[in-house]
């Protein structure tokens, strides 16, 4: 079956670094997305990985290992505004419109 | 201008009412989606329209009826809903192509409460 696992909640301190992990089991793989969702708002696209390795985009980086079915989102120099839910979603081969979504990780950044 | 807009932002309706949710995308995309987001559940894909043709219908009850009159507009018609249908309904759009995955852009959602 299809399954995506990520921690439910995480807490970190302003200015620190936090890593949010995501593991997946899907039939076929065509890329992994990370989205950020603030309370009461729309999910917004953060990153997309389809090949193994690290993709860096400012304070945010995303890593993928296809052989391990594993990804992480790395947030550096945390700011209070980074408090949000972070959603991991996988695109399957043969159906790039239907994403398999994780439950999301609720990150609280404390001063 | 916001890429994907949704109206209304909040809706309270009784179980016997009929209402419609509206979504409009200003990004020139060719695919549009309806999702349901409930607490402690992953995003649930309801419907997908690609080039105005419905291509996904994930066993959604018939009390939810989508309509896509053109590539920029998407509606979700609601009738005789149940309290468990209370949720955040998100619309999204993307530029679907035959190759790799494509990111979806979401609207702010409609918070629906069924009483």
């Amino acid at each position: 079956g299809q399954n995506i696992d990520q921690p439910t909640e995480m807490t970190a301190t302003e200015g620190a670094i936090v890593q949010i992990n995501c593991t997946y089991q899907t039939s076929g793989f065509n890329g992994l997305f990370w989205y950020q969702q603030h309370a009461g708002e729309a999910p917004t696209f953060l990153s997309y990985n389809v090949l193994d390795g690290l993709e860096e985009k400012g304070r945010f980086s995303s890593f993928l290992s296809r052989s391990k079915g594993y990804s992480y989102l790395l947030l550096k120099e945390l700011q209070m505004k980074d408090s949000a839910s972070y959603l991991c979603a996988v695109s399957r081969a043969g159906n790039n419109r239907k994403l398999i979504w994780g439950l999301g990780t609720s990150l609280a950044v404390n001063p | 201008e916001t890429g994907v807009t949704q109206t209304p932002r909040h809706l309270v309706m009784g179980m016997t009412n009929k209402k419609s949710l509206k979504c409009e995308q200003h990004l020139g995309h060719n695919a549009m989606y309806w999702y349901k987001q409930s607490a402690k559940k992953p995003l649930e894909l309801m419907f997908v329209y690609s080039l105005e043709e419905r291509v996904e219908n994930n066993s959604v009850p018939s009390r939810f009826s989508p309509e896509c009159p053109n590539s920029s507009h998407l509606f979700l018609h609601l009738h005789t809903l149940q309290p468990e249908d209370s949720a955040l309904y998100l619309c999204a759009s993307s530029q679907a192509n035959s190759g790799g995955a494509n990111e979806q852009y979401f609207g702010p959602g409609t918070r629906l409460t069924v009483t």
Side-chain angles (χ1 to χ4, degrees):
Chain A
Q2 341 269 11
N3 195 42
I4 295 187
D5 288 310
Q6 45 180 137
T8 304
E9 294 178 342
M10 297 184 72
T11 303
T13 304
E14 195 174 13
I17 298 173
V18 71
Q19 177 175 312
I20 303 174
N21 296 325
C22 171
T23 58
Y24 62 89
Q25 297 107 35
T26 59
S27 53
F29 177 82
N30 193 29
L32 185 144
F33 294 87
W34 284 97
Y35 281 81
Q36 179 191 61
Q37 185 176 25
H38 286 100
E41 297 183 14
T44 55
F45 168 76
L46 289 177
S47 67
Y48 169 64
N49 295 68
V50 66
L51 300 176
D52 290 350
L54 187 68
E55 295 275 346
E56 296 186 74
K57 197 185 286 187
R59 293 189 299 115
F60 292 5
S61 304
S62 56
F63 171 84
L64 176 68
S65 168
R66 289 172 295 172
S67 62
K68 295 181 179 176
Y70 168 70
S71 172
Y72 67 72
L73 181 69
L74 192 71
L75 292 75
K76 303 176 186 175
E77 302 168 19
L78 280 173
Q79 302 175 11
M80 300 295 289
K81 67 179 182 179
D82 297 329
S83 294
S85 183
Y86 290 86
L87 307 173
C88 173
V90 170
S91 176
R92 292 182 302 155
N95 188 344
N96 63 358
R97 291 180 292 259
K98 185 170 182 176
L99 300 180
I100 310 300
W101 293 84
L103 277 168
T105 299
S106 180
L107 173 67
V109 179
N110 298 320
Chain B
E1 156 147 10
T2 305
V4 182
T5 58
Q6 289 186 244
T7 55
R9 293 294 309 275
H10 301 273
L11 178 62
V12 179
M13 59 186 289
M15 289 191 283
T16 58
N17 291 159
K18 287 186 181 181
K19 296 286 184 184
S20 295
L21 309 185
K22 179 183 175 182
C23 175
E24 185 173 358
Q25 60 98 359
H26 311 272
L27 300 168
H29 289 164
N30 60 9
M32 296 187 77
Y33 309 74
W34 278 118
Y35 284 93
K36 177 183 179 182
Q37 188 173 38
S38 306
K40 303 194 187 305
K41 285 187 167 184
L43 274 170
E44 299 174 52
L45 180 64
M46 301 174 72
F47 302 103
V48 181
Y49 277 82
S50 179
L51 297 172
E52 298 147 47
E53 179 186 348
R54 191 190 309 180
V55 295
E56 292 274 354
N57 180 345
N58 285 344
S59 303
V60 179
S62 60
R63 57 186 184 267
F64 295 91
S65 174
E67 179 190 0
C68 187
N70 55 61
S71 60
S72 299
H73 293 86
L74 186 65
F75 295 90
L76 188 63
H77 303 300
L78 316 170
H79 64 98
T80 58
L81 293 191
Q82 304 298 311
E84 60 264 29
D85 297 323
S86 298
L88 181 67
Y89 288 84
L90 291 163
C91 173
S93 70
S94 71
Q95 184 59 30
N97 53 52
S98 59
N102 46 84
E103 61 264 32
Q104 297 177 15
Y105 292 81
F106 287 83
T110 294
R111 173 65 63 184
L112 174 67
T113 303
V114 181
T115 60

